[in-house]
Amino acid sequence: MEIKSHYFTRWSANPQAPFLRFGYEKWSRLEFVQEVKAAAALLSERGVGRGDRVAVMLETSPAALVAVCAAHLAGAAVVPLNARSAQEEWQFVLSQTRPSLIISESALSPVACPSLVRHELEEQIRQAAIADRQENARLRGVDPNDLAFICFTSGTTGRPKGVMLLHRNVIANLEALRKTWQWTEQDRLLLALPLFHVHGLIVAVLGSIWSGSEIALYPSFEASVVLEALSVQRCTVFMGVPTMYYRLLEAAQNANLDRQKIQARFQGFRLFISGSAPLPSSTHSRFQEVFGHSILERYGMTETLMVLSNPYGGQRKPGSVGFPLQGIEVSLVDDNGYPVPQGEIGEILVRGPNVFAGYWNCGEIDRAILGDGWFRTGDVAYQDDGGYFFVIGRKSTDILKTSGFKISAREIEDALLQLPSVAEAAVVGKPDEEQGEAIVAFIRGSEELSDYLNRSLGPSQAAELLKINLPHFLGARLARYKHPSSYIFLKDLPRNSMGKVSKVRLREMLEK
Ligand code: MLC
Ligand code: AMP
C-alpha cells in the first residue's frame, strides 16, 4: 500500500541531498534509503513481517537508524531498548513484547528470540546496498494505523510499561513540530541524545527525516566536543535535555571563551530546543547571556509525544513550555476532573492525534486513562495571563526525572529489596541544579545483618560496606542511570499516620 504519510515522503524530490554524518562518514538520502531497503529485505528473509515486533538494542550509530527504519519498512513495530540496560530490564521487555527479532551489539544470552548482531547487519546491508543502485529514494509507505513503536517508560508501578504509538500518532506530531519550529531542508541538527527514547528517536531522528533536514550524529554527549562541533559542523539546530545545557555552559566557561567569541560563533545558529525535564530559568537566562540565544522549551511525554512548545517567532518565556501544538487540545483539571479557572493549578490532560493507542498488554489501565479521549499526564501546571503554560511538578512523588530520564522510585526500591541485607527502602528525588533530581535511597538494613555488621565492623564501616556492595548488586538489575547517587542508612524510616513511609518527611530531611 502506498501511503502518503510515511516519514520519508519529502525525500523523493531530492535523493542526492545529504542526510547523515557520523564521524568522517556521510550518507546522502539515497545511500541511506538503499541501506534501509537492504536491511528491510534481510529482516523479511529472517521472517519479520507485518504485525511483528523488532527489538533494536544498539548504541547510537547509523546502523541503529537503519535498523529502525528497516523494521518499519518490513511492516514491524520497533521496540527500542537501551544497549546499556541491565540484563533483567531487557529480558523483561523481551518477555513482554515477544519480538520476532532482536538486533543487538553482540550476542545476548540467554535470549528467547532470534537475534542479529550489528556487524552482521552492517556487512549484509553494505553488500546489498552496493548491488542496489536505484535512482530514487522512494520507499513503500506504511499503514498509518499500524503500530510503529512500543516504547517502554517508567511509571508509578514497579516495572516500566510499553507505550504503543501508531504511525499516524508519529506523523501527526512530526508535522506539528515541523511547522512550529520552522524546520526545513536547510537545517542541520546536532544529535547527541540517546536513541531509545522518543526525544532522540522520534522527535530528533524521524523529525529530521520528515522535515528533510540533515543530522550530524554523535555517539554520546560530551559537552566540550558538542560545543566545538556545533559551530565547526555548521549546525543550525540542537535538541537537548536541561542537563546538556547546564554542561554546555560549563564547557564554555572551562574553555575560557569570552562571550563575544561564543556569540560570534553562534550568530548563524537557528534554534536551541530543550525538553524532557524542566529547564531552570537560571539556565535559560545564563544561556541567553553567554550564547546569545533564547532556548525554546517544549513539553512532551512518551504517551503523547510533544504537546506544548514556546513559539518560534514570539516570546520564549523562561520557565514556560508555551502553547499547545497545532491540532492538540490541552486542559488543566482539578482532582474531580473539572477544568480549573485561568491562573490556577491543575493536572494536564491531553487530547489529539498524537495521543498513544494504549499500553501494551494493559487494557484496564487504558480504559481508565483514555476512556474519553483525554490522556491524564500526572503533571501539574498553570496558565499565565498570556496563555503560556508553566509545568510546576507531578502528582506522584514516586516518579523522578534525572538528567531527562524518567525513573520509577518503586522500580529502584523493588530492586534494593531483593538484597537480603535491605529490610526497607524508600527512594526520593533531591533537587539538583545539573541533573534536575538526584536519586537518593533511604535504607533500613535487616536487623540480623545490621547487628552482625555493627558488632564486627562498627556502624560507619558497616554502612560503607553496604554502599560499596549496593551498586554492584544493582548492576544486573538496573541501568546505571537508575542507580541512586547516594544512600542514607536509617535505623527507622519516618512514617505518616497511616503507618506508611513518609516521603515528604524524607525529602524534608534532605533539605536540612
Ligand atoms: C548514562 N548512563 C547510562 C546511560 N547514560 N547508563 C545506562 N544507560 C545509559 N544510556 C550512566 C552514566 O555513565 C553515569 O554512570 C550515570 O548513568 C549517571 O549519568 P550522568 O551523570 O547523568 O552523566 P552522563 O553519562 O554524562 O549523561 C548525561 C546525559 C544523559 C545528559 C548526556 O543523562 C542523557 O543522555 N540524558 C538524556 C535522557 C533522554 O533522552 N530523555 C528523554 C526521555 S523522553 P557513571 O558510572 O559513569 O557515573 C521524554 C519525553 C520528552 O522525556 O518530553 O522528551
Ligand atoms: P517520559 O515518560 O520519559 O516521556 O517523560 C515525560 C515526562 O517528562 C513528563 O510527564 C514531564 O514530567 C517531563 N517533562 C517533559 N518535558 C518537560 C518540560 N519541558 N518541563 C517539565 N517537565 C517535562
Side-chain angles (χ1 to χ4, degrees):
M1 194 186 324
E2 192 80 23
I3 297 282
K4 286 192 211 73
S5 63
H6 196 279
Y7 46 77
F8 285 103
T9 306
R10 250 176 214 91
W11 279 19
S12 2
N14 191 1
Q16 301 299 342
F19 166 56
L20 181 64
R21 45 178 75 198
F22 185 68
Y24 293 110
E25 290 181 281
K26 289 181 186 172
W27 284 256
S28 68
R29 293 173 179 177
L30 180 60
E31 286 161 342
F32 185 76
V33 161
Q34 283 169 342
E35 293 202 3
V36 170
K37 283 180 174 172
L42 176 63
L43 300 194
S44 304
E45 265 170 44
R46 300 274 176 125
V48 173
R50 188 155 180 226
D52 287 346
R53 290 157 303 283
V54 171
V56 178
M57 189 169 152
L58 295 173
E59 292 283 0
T60 297
S61 60
L65 271 54
V66 170
V68 168
C69 298
H72 284 159
L73 191 61
V78 171
V79 183
L81 270 167
N82 178 6
R84 285 188 278 156
S85 52
Q87 184 168 0
E88 275 192 14
E89 292 174 310
W90 57 257
Q91 280 185 336
F92 169 74
V93 170
L94 296 188
S95 71
Q96 292 292 301
T97 55
R98 306 200 168 283
S100 36
L101 188 71
I102 176 164
I103 307 174
S104 56
E105 289 295 327
S106 52
L108 299 167
S109 163
V111 62
C113 66
S115 66
L116 177 66
V117 293
R118 172 148 73 130
H119 72 84
E120 212 181 326
L121 172 75
E122 283 174 337
E123 195 43 47
Q124 300 240 16
I125 55 181
R126 210 164 289 132
Q127 285 171 13
I130 292 168
D132 173 16
R133 294 201 177 278
Q134 293 185 40
E135 291 290 303
N136 71 58
R138 194 181 296 276
L139 282 179
R140 184 170 60 87
V142 290
D143 188 321
N145 287 311
D146 276 356
L147 191 55
F149 293 99
I150 307 176
C151 294
F152 276 76
T153 178
S154 299
T156 44
T157 51
R159 291 286 199 179
K161 293 190 296 246
V163 172
M164 296 192 288
L165 290 160
L166 309 180
H167 280 285
R168 65 177 157 79
N169 301 139
V170 173
I171 295 293
N173 208 236
L174 299 185
E175 179 57 4
L177 295 177
R178 184 183 74 82
K179 286 192 176 143
T180 306
W181 297 340
Q182 301 190 13
W183 206 351
T184 73
E185 307 210 341
Q186 308 308 315
D187 281 313
R188 182 179 293 158
L189 170 83
L190 192 146
L191 176 52
L193 283 157
L195 299 181
F196 54 91
H197 279 306
V198 299
H199 192 168
L201 183 55
I202 300 186
V203 179
V205 173
L206 300 190
S208 295
I209 295 177
W210 178 252
S211 61
S213 98
E214 197 185 345
I215 298 176
L217 184 67
Y218 281 76
S220 61
F221 178 84
E222 295 297 334
S224 55
V225 175
V226 168
L227 179 65
E228 180 82 9
L230 281 167
S231 49
V232 171
Q233 294 257 27
R234 286 184 283 111
C235 294
T236 61
V237 181
F238 178 73
M239 284 178 199
V241 296
T243 308
M244 293 179 174
Y245 287 102
Y246 181 93
R247 294 204 184 158
L248 283 175
L249 281 163
E250 224 176 35
Q253 199 176 2
N254 293 342
N256 272 332
L257 293 170
D258 68 52
R259 280 176 197 187
Q260 274 174 334
K261 260 195 204 138
I262 297 184
Q263 297 195 2
R265 264 200 208 177
F266 286 96
Q267 221 167 22
F269 205 88
R270 196 172 73 77
L271 187 56
F272 285 97
I273 304 169
S274 175
S276 302
L279 179 74
S281 300
S282 55
T283 308
H284 188 285
S285 47
R286 274 172 56 217
F287 201 85
Q288 169 93 60
E289 282 162 27
V290 177
F291 286 77
H293 281 267
S294 170
I295 299 172
L296 181 152
E297 185 173 3
R298 56 75 185 160
Y299 161 90
M301 199 172 175
T302 306
E303 286 87 337
T304 58
L305 296 173
M306 302 305 104
V307 175
L308 295 149
S309 170
N310 269 281
Y312 180 72
Q315 189 193 0
R316 299 172 197 167
K317 284 195 185 172
S320 159
V321 290
F323 307 104
L325 292 168
Q326 187 189 48
I328 298 177
E329 291 172 88
V330 175
S331 174
L332 299 181
V333 299
D334 62 21
D335 287 343
N336 299 315
Y338 295 110
V340 297
Q342 170 94 7
E344 286 188 20
I345 292 167
E347 181 181 357
I348 305 177
L349 265 53
V350 183
R351 186 161 71 175
N354 53 314
V355 175
F356 74 132
Y359 294 107
W360 180 255
N361 281 345
C362 293
E364 278 168 36
I365 306 178
D366 298 346
R367 273 188 294 282
I369 55 163
L370 287 167
D372 50 4
W374 286 100
F375 172 67
R376 293 155 182 73
T377 62
D379 291 313
V380 283
Y382 71 91
Q383 254 182 305
D384 72 3
D385 292 344
Y388 282 79
F389 282 80
F390 289 76
V391 179
I392 57 155
R394 282 179 301 269
K395 285 187 100 176
S396 167
T397 52
D398 280 334
I399 293 175
L400 280 61
K401 266 262 159 160
T402 175
S403 300
F405 286 118
K406 192 187 217 181
I407 301 201
S408 153
R410 272 278 304 281
E411 191 181 9
I412 304 173
E413 289 159 5
D414 288 352
L416 286 168
L417 283 170
Q418 289 179 43
L419 198 71
S421 52
V422 174
E424 258 187 317
V427 167
V428 298
K430 180 182 178 187
D432 181 274
E433 218 191 331
E434 182 174 2
Q435 291 192 300
E437 284 175 292
I439 309 170
V440 179
F442 286 89
I443 289 177
R444 179 170 70 80
S446 80
E447 269 165 39
E448 305 83 52
L449 196 82
S450 300
D451 282 352
Y452 172 75
L453 289 174
N454 287 344
R455 260 185 283 116
S456 45
L457 295 171
S460 63
Q461 266 183 306
E464 259 335 289
L465 187 73
L466 278 174
K467 270 186 204 168
I468 294 166
N469 278 323
L470 283 170
H472 178 70
F473 173 81
L474 287 181
R477 290 164 179 83
L478 298 174
R480 179 70 186 85
Y481 67 81
K482 294 181 185 171
H483 291 203
S485 54
S486 50
Y487 297 92
I488 298 175
F489 292 86
L490 296 178
K491 220 167 164 357
D492 280 308
L493 300 185
R495 290 173 197 284
N496 59 22
S497 54
M498 311 287 285
K500 270 185 68 181
V501 171
S502 166
K503 293 206 170 173
V504 177
R505 300 232 334 252
L506 290 175
R507 232 177 267 117
E508 282 166 5
M509 285 170 67
L510 293 176
E511 283 162 18
K512 282 178 196 154

